mmCIF file with all atom_site columns, all heavy atoms in Angstrom:
data_model
loop_
_atom_site.group_PDB
_atom_site.id
_atom_site.type_symbol
_atom_site.label_atom_id
_atom_site.label_alt_id
_atom_site.label_comp_id
_atom_site.label_asym_id
_atom_site.label_entity_id
_atom_site.label_seq_id
_atom_site.pdbx_PDB_ins_code
_atom_site.Cartn_x
_atom_site.Cartn_y
_atom_site.Cartn_z
_atom_site.occupancy
_atom_site.B_iso_or_equiv
_atom_site.pdbx_formal_charge
_atom_site.auth_seq_id
_atom_site.auth_comp_id
_atom_site.auth_asym_id
_atom_site.auth_atom_id
_atom_site.pdbx_PDB_model_num
ATOM   1   N N   . TYR A 1 29  ? -23.820 32.387 2.516   1.00 0.00 ? 120 TYR A N   1
ATOM   2   C CA  . TYR A 1 29  ? -23.646 31.027 3.054   1.00 0.00 ? 120 TYR A CA  1
ATOM   3   C C   . TYR A 1 29  ? -22.228 30.744 3.517   1.00 0.00 ? 120 TYR A C   1
ATOM   4   O O   . TYR A 1 29  ? -21.922 29.654 3.953   1.00 0.00 ? 120 TYR A O   1
ATOM   5   C CB  . TYR A 1 29  ? -24.017 30.001 1.972   1.00 0.00 ? 120 TYR A CB  1
ATOM   6   C CG  . TYR A 1 29  ? -23.432 30.320 0.618   1.00 0.00 ? 120 TYR A CG  1
ATOM   7   C CD1 . TYR A 1 29  ? -22.081 30.134 0.351   1.00 0.00 ? 120 TYR A CD1 1
ATOM   8   C CD2 . TYR A 1 29  ? -24.231 30.851 -0.392  1.00 0.00 ? 120 TYR A CD2 1
ATOM   9   C CE1 . TYR A 1 29  ? -21.532 30.453 -0.870  1.00 0.00 ? 120 TYR A CE1 1
ATOM   10  C CE2 . TYR A 1 29  ? -23.684 31.182 -1.624  1.00 0.00 ? 120 TYR A CE2 1
ATOM   11  C CZ  . TYR A 1 29  ? -22.341 30.976 -1.855  1.00 0.00 ? 120 TYR A CZ  1
ATOM   12  O OH  . TYR A 1 29  ? -21.794 31.304 -3.064  1.00 0.00 ? 120 TYR A OH  1
ATOM   13  N N   . CYS A 1 30  ? -21.345 31.735 3.377   1.00 0.00 ? 121 CYS A N   1
ATOM   14  C CA  . CYS A 1 30  ? -19.929 31.449 3.582   1.00 0.00 ? 121 CYS A CA  1
ATOM   15  C C   . CYS A 1 30  ? -19.272 32.328 4.619   1.00 0.00 ? 121 CYS A C   1
ATOM   16  O O   . CYS A 1 30  ? -18.613 31.842 5.529   1.00 0.00 ? 121 CYS A O   1
ATOM   17  C CB  . CYS A 1 30  ? -19.206 31.605 2.238   1.00 0.00 ? 121 CYS A CB  1
ATOM   18  S SG  . CYS A 1 30  ? -17.423 31.370 2.331   1.00 0.00 ? 121 CYS A SG  1
ATOM   19  N N   . THR A 1 68  ? -7.200  27.719 -3.228  1.00 0.00 ? 159 THR A N   1
ATOM   20  C CA  . THR A 1 68  ? -8.502  28.305 -2.958  1.00 0.00 ? 159 THR A CA  1
ATOM   21  C C   . THR A 1 68  ? -8.357  29.334 -1.830  1.00 0.00 ? 159 THR A C   1
ATOM   22  O O   . THR A 1 68  ? -7.268  29.810 -1.541  1.00 0.00 ? 159 THR A O   1
ATOM   23  C CB  . THR A 1 68  ? -9.536  27.176 -2.670  1.00 0.00 ? 159 THR A CB  1
ATOM   24  O OG1 . THR A 1 68  ? -10.798 27.768 -2.370  1.00 0.00 ? 159 THR A OG1 1
ATOM   25  C CG2 . THR A 1 68  ? -9.138  26.257 -1.547  1.00 0.00 ? 159 THR A CG2 1
ATOM   26  N N   . GLY A 1 69  ? -9.472  29.706 -1.207  1.00 0.00 ? 160 GLY A N   1
ATOM   27  C CA  . GLY A 1 69  ? -9.407  30.720 -0.151  1.00 0.00 ? 160 GLY A CA  1
ATOM   28  C C   . GLY A 1 69  ? -10.641 30.621 0.722   1.00 0.00 ? 160 GLY A C   1
ATOM   29  O O   . GLY A 1 69  ? -11.267 29.548 0.773   1.00 0.00 ? 160 GLY A O   1
ATOM   30  N N   . GLY A 1 70  ? -11.033 31.713 1.220   1.00 0.00 ? 161 GLY A N   1
ATOM   31  C CA  . GLY A 1 70  ? -11.050 33.107 0.831   1.00 0.00 ? 161 GLY A CA  1
ATOM   32  C C   . GLY A 1 70  ? -10.960 33.262 -0.689  1.00 0.00 ? 161 GLY A C   1
ATOM   33  O O   . GLY A 1 70  ? -11.239 32.345 -1.424  1.00 0.00 ? 161 GLY A O   1
ATOM   34  N N   . GLU A 1 71  ? -10.599 34.439 -1.101  1.00 0.00 ? 162 GLU A N   1
ATOM   35  C CA  . GLU A 1 71  ? -10.453 34.650 -2.536  1.00 0.00 ? 162 GLU A CA  1
ATOM   36  C C   . GLU A 1 71  ? -8.972  34.623 -2.894  1.00 0.00 ? 162 GLU A C   1
ATOM   37  O O   . GLU A 1 71  ? -8.232  35.558 -2.562  1.00 0.00 ? 162 GLU A O   1
ATOM   38  C CB  . GLU A 1 71  ? -11.124 35.971 -2.945  1.00 0.00 ? 162 GLU A CB  1
ATOM   39  C CG  . GLU A 1 71  ? -10.926 36.346 -4.386  1.00 0.00 ? 162 GLU A CG  1
ATOM   40  C CD  . GLU A 1 71  ? -11.166 35.178 -5.369  1.00 0.00 ? 162 GLU A CD  1
ATOM   41  O OE1 . GLU A 1 71  ? -12.087 34.380 -5.183  1.00 0.00 ? 162 GLU A OE1 1
ATOM   42  O OE2 . GLU A 1 71  ? -10.374 35.073 -6.337  1.00 0.00 ? 162 GLU A OE2 1
ATOM   43  N N   . THR A 1 97  ? -9.965  27.630 -7.358  1.00 0.00 ? 188 THR A N   1
ATOM   44  C CA  . THR A 1 97  ? -11.365 28.031 -7.205  1.00 0.00 ? 188 THR A CA  1
ATOM   45  C C   . THR A 1 97  ? -11.378 29.516 -6.884  1.00 0.00 ? 188 THR A C   1
ATOM   46  O O   . THR A 1 97  ? -10.699 29.965 -5.961  1.00 0.00 ? 188 THR A O   1
ATOM   47  C CB  . THR A 1 97  ? -12.055 27.267 -6.049  1.00 0.00 ? 188 THR A CB  1
ATOM   48  O OG1 . THR A 1 97  ? -11.932 25.864 -6.286  1.00 0.00 ? 188 THR A OG1 1
ATOM   49  C CG2 . THR A 1 97  ? -13.526 27.601 -5.969  1.00 0.00 ? 188 THR A CG2 1
ATOM   50  N N   . THR A 1 98  ? -12.127 30.282 -7.666  1.00 0.00 ? 189 THR A N   1
ATOM   51  C CA  . THR A 1 98  ? -12.156 31.739 -7.505  1.00 0.00 ? 189 THR A CA  1
ATOM   52  C C   . THR A 1 98  ? -13.584 32.245 -7.660  1.00 0.00 ? 189 THR A C   1
ATOM   53  O O   . THR A 1 98  ? -14.400 31.601 -8.318  1.00 0.00 ? 189 THR A O   1
ATOM   54  C CB  . THR A 1 98  ? -11.246 32.413 -8.564  1.00 0.00 ? 189 THR A CB  1
ATOM   55  O OG1 . THR A 1 98  ? -11.485 33.832 -8.547  1.00 0.00 ? 189 THR A OG1 1
ATOM   56  C CG2 . THR A 1 98  ? -11.493 31.900 -9.969  1.00 0.00 ? 189 THR A CG2 1
ATOM   57  N N   . ASN A 1 99  ? -13.840 33.418 -7.080  1.00 0.00 ? 190 ASN A N   1
ATOM   58  C CA  . ASN A 1 99  ? -15.157 34.028 -7.312  1.00 0.00 ? 190 ASN A CA  1
ATOM   59  C C   . ASN A 1 99  ? -15.190 34.765 -8.643  1.00 0.00 ? 190 ASN A C   1
ATOM   60  O O   . ASN A 1 99  ? -16.225 35.284 -9.045  1.00 0.00 ? 190 ASN A O   1
ATOM   61  C CB  . ASN A 1 99  ? -15.570 34.935 -6.150  1.00 0.00 ? 190 ASN A CB  1
ATOM   62  C CG  . ASN A 1 99  ? -14.613 36.100 -5.923  1.00 0.00 ? 190 ASN A CG  1
ATOM   63  O OD1 . ASN A 1 99  ? -13.984 36.608 -6.846  1.00 0.00 ? 190 ASN A OD1 1
ATOM   64  N ND2 . ASN A 1 99  ? -14.513 36.540 -4.671  1.00 0.00 ? 190 ASN A ND2 1
ATOM   65  N N   . SER A 1 121 ? -17.188 30.618 -9.037  1.00 0.00 ? 212 SER A N   1
ATOM   66  C CA  . SER A 1 121 ? -18.455 30.580 -8.306  1.00 0.00 ? 212 SER A CA  1
ATOM   67  C C   . SER A 1 121 ? -19.410 31.650 -8.827  1.00 0.00 ? 212 SER A C   1
ATOM   68  O O   . SER A 1 121 ? -19.037 32.815 -8.928  1.00 0.00 ? 212 SER A O   1
ATOM   69  C CB  . SER A 1 121 ? -18.201 30.807 -6.812  1.00 0.00 ? 212 SER A CB  1
ATOM   70  O OG  . SER A 1 121 ? -17.288 29.837 -6.362  1.00 0.00 ? 212 SER A OG  1
ATOM   71  N N   . ASN A 1 160 ? -19.495 26.956 -10.302 1.00 0.00 ? 251 ASN A N   1
ATOM   72  C CA  . ASN A 1 160 ? -20.073 26.399 -9.074  1.00 0.00 ? 251 ASN A CA  1
ATOM   73  C C   . ASN A 1 160 ? -21.284 27.227 -8.648  1.00 0.00 ? 251 ASN A C   1
ATOM   74  O O   . ASN A 1 160 ? -21.158 28.430 -8.438  1.00 0.00 ? 251 ASN A O   1
ATOM   75  C CB  . ASN A 1 160 ? -19.061 26.463 -7.919  1.00 0.00 ? 251 ASN A CB  1
ATOM   76  C CG  . ASN A 1 160 ? -17.967 25.424 -8.048  1.00 0.00 ? 251 ASN A CG  1
ATOM   77  O OD1 . ASN A 1 160 ? -18.014 24.544 -8.900  1.00 0.00 ? 251 ASN A OD1 1
ATOM   78  N ND2 . ASN A 1 160 ? -16.967 25.517 -7.186  1.00 0.00 ? 251 ASN A ND2 1
ATOM   79  N N   . VAL A 1 162 ? -24.170 27.383 -5.703  1.00 0.00 ? 253 VAL A N   1
ATOM   80  C CA  . VAL A 1 162 ? -24.747 26.851 -4.462  1.00 0.00 ? 253 VAL A CA  1
ATOM   81  C C   . VAL A 1 162 ? -26.258 27.038 -4.576  1.00 0.00 ? 253 VAL A C   1
ATOM   82  O O   . VAL A 1 162 ? -26.740 28.169 -4.731  1.00 0.00 ? 253 VAL A O   1
ATOM   83  C CB  . VAL A 1 162 ? -24.201 27.587 -3.217  1.00 0.00 ? 253 VAL A CB  1
ATOM   84  C CG1 . VAL A 1 162 ? -24.858 27.045 -1.952  1.00 0.00 ? 253 VAL A CG1 1
ATOM   85  C CG2 . VAL A 1 162 ? -22.685 27.447 -3.126  1.00 0.00 ? 253 VAL A CG2 1
ATOM   86  N N   . GLU A 1 190 ? -25.038 21.280 -3.162  1.00 0.00 ? 281 GLU A N   1
ATOM   87  C CA  . GLU A 1 190 ? -25.974 21.388 -2.038  1.00 0.00 ? 281 GLU A CA  1
ATOM   88  C C   . GLU A 1 190 ? -25.417 22.333 -0.975  1.00 0.00 ? 281 GLU A C   1
ATOM   89  O O   . GLU A 1 190 ? -24.226 22.280 -0.643  1.00 0.00 ? 281 GLU A O   1
ATOM   90  C CB  . GLU A 1 190 ? -26.205 20.007 -1.415  1.00 0.00 ? 281 GLU A CB  1
ATOM   91  C CG  . GLU A 1 190 ? -27.068 19.112 -2.285  1.00 0.00 ? 281 GLU A CG  1
ATOM   92  C CD  . GLU A 1 190 ? -27.244 17.705 -1.716  1.00 0.00 ? 281 GLU A CD  1
ATOM   93  O OE1 . GLU A 1 190 ? -26.494 17.332 -0.786  1.00 0.00 ? 281 GLU A OE1 1
ATOM   94  O OE2 . GLU A 1 190 ? -28.119 16.992 -2.216  1.00 0.00 ? 281 GLU A OE2 1
ATOM   95  N N   . MET A 1 192 ? -24.287 23.695 2.308   1.00 0.00 ? 283 MET A N   1
ATOM   96  C CA  . MET A 1 192 ? -23.756 23.013 3.495   1.00 0.00 ? 283 MET A CA  1
ATOM   97  C C   . MET A 1 192 ? -23.869 23.926 4.717   1.00 0.00 ? 283 MET A C   1
ATOM   98  O O   . MET A 1 192 ? -23.803 25.144 4.582   1.00 0.00 ? 283 MET A O   1
ATOM   99  C CB  . MET A 1 192 ? -22.295 22.617 3.249   1.00 0.00 ? 283 MET A CB  1
ATOM   100 C CG  . MET A 1 192 ? -22.155 21.598 2.141   1.00 0.00 ? 283 MET A CG  1
ATOM   101 S SD  . MET A 1 192 ? -20.463 21.074 1.902   1.00 0.00 ? 283 MET A SD  1
ATOM   102 C CE  . MET A 1 192 ? -19.854 22.269 0.756   1.00 0.00 ? 283 MET A CE  1
ATOM   103 N N   . MET A 1 325 ? -16.817 28.713 6.176   1.00 0.00 ? 416 MET A N   1
ATOM   104 C CA  . MET A 1 325 ? -16.236 28.180 4.949   1.00 0.00 ? 416 MET A CA  1
ATOM   105 C C   . MET A 1 325 ? -15.114 29.074 4.426   1.00 0.00 ? 416 MET A C   1
ATOM   106 O O   . MET A 1 325 ? -14.100 28.586 3.906   1.00 0.00 ? 416 MET A O   1
ATOM   107 C CB  . MET A 1 325 ? -17.334 28.043 3.902   1.00 0.00 ? 416 MET A CB  1
ATOM   108 C CG  . MET A 1 325 ? -16.909 27.301 2.696   1.00 0.00 ? 416 MET A CG  1
ATOM   109 S SD  . MET A 1 325 ? -16.732 25.567 3.071   1.00 0.00 ? 416 MET A SD  1
ATOM   110 C CE  . MET A 1 325 ? -17.952 24.882 1.989   1.00 0.00 ? 416 MET A CE  1
HETATM 111 N N1  . SAM B 2 .   ? -13.676 32.599 -3.059  1.00 0.00 ? 248 SAM B N1  1
HETATM 112 C C1  . SAM B 2 .   ? -13.606 31.487 -3.933  1.00 0.00 ? 248 SAM B C1  1
HETATM 113 C C2  . SAM B 2 .   ? -14.937 31.170 -4.530  1.00 0.00 ? 248 SAM B C2  1
HETATM 114 O O1  . SAM B 2 .   ? -15.943 31.668 -4.039  1.00 0.00 ? 248 SAM B O1  1
HETATM 115 O O2  . SAM B 2 .   ? -14.969 30.411 -5.486  1.00 0.00 ? 248 SAM B O2  1
HETATM 116 C C3  . SAM B 2 .   ? -12.990 30.256 -3.309  1.00 0.00 ? 248 SAM B C3  1
HETATM 117 C C4  . SAM B 2 .   ? -13.367 29.909 -1.899  1.00 0.00 ? 248 SAM B C4  1
HETATM 118 S S1  . SAM B 2 .   ? -15.060 29.399 -1.649  1.00 0.00 ? 248 SAM B S1  1
HETATM 119 C C5  . SAM B 2 .   ? -15.071 29.061 0.073   1.00 0.00 ? 248 SAM B C5  1
HETATM 120 C C6  . SAM B 2 .   ? -15.032 27.788 -2.417  1.00 0.00 ? 248 SAM B C6  1
HETATM 121 C C7  . SAM B 2 .   ? -16.386 27.229 -2.789  1.00 0.00 ? 248 SAM B C7  1
HETATM 122 O O3  . SAM B 2 .   ? -17.104 26.934 -1.612  1.00 0.00 ? 248 SAM B O3  1
HETATM 123 C C8  . SAM B 2 .   ? -17.268 28.168 -3.614  1.00 0.00 ? 248 SAM B C8  1
HETATM 124 O O4  . SAM B 2 .   ? -17.660 27.530 -4.809  1.00 0.00 ? 248 SAM B O4  1
HETATM 125 C C9  . SAM B 2 .   ? -18.456 28.393 -2.732  1.00 0.00 ? 248 SAM B C9  1
HETATM 126 O O5  . SAM B 2 .   ? -19.632 28.568 -3.473  1.00 0.00 ? 248 SAM B O5  1
HETATM 127 C C10 . SAM B 2 .   ? -18.471 27.151 -1.870  1.00 0.00 ? 248 SAM B C10 1
HETATM 128 N N2  . SAM B 2 .   ? -19.176 27.332 -0.617  1.00 0.00 ? 248 SAM B N2  1
HETATM 129 C C11 . SAM B 2 .   ? -18.932 28.239 0.338   1.00 0.00 ? 248 SAM B C11 1
HETATM 130 N N3  . SAM B 2 .   ? -19.789 28.097 1.380   1.00 0.00 ? 248 SAM B N3  1
HETATM 131 C C12 . SAM B 2 .   ? -20.624 27.078 1.048   1.00 0.00 ? 248 SAM B C12 1
HETATM 132 C C13 . SAM B 2 .   ? -21.724 26.444 1.701   1.00 0.00 ? 248 SAM B C13 1
HETATM 133 N N4  . SAM B 2 .   ? -22.165 26.850 2.891   1.00 0.00 ? 248 SAM B N4  1
HETATM 134 N N5  . SAM B 2 .   ? -22.327 25.420 1.076   1.00 0.00 ? 248 SAM B N5  1
HETATM 135 C C14 . SAM B 2 .   ? -21.892 24.992 -0.147  1.00 0.00 ? 248 SAM B C14 1
HETATM 136 N N6  . SAM B 2 .   ? -20.857 25.539 -0.810  1.00 0.00 ? 248 SAM B N6  1
HETATM 137 C C15 . SAM B 2 .   ? -20.224 26.570 -0.223  1.00 0.00 ? 248 SAM B C15 1
#
Side-chain angles (χ1 to χ4, degrees):
Y120 45 74
C121 177
T159 178
E162 175 46 39
T188 304
T189 169
N190 61 31
S212 304
N251 286 352
V253 178
E281 287 177 346
M283 295 183 272
M416 190 72 118

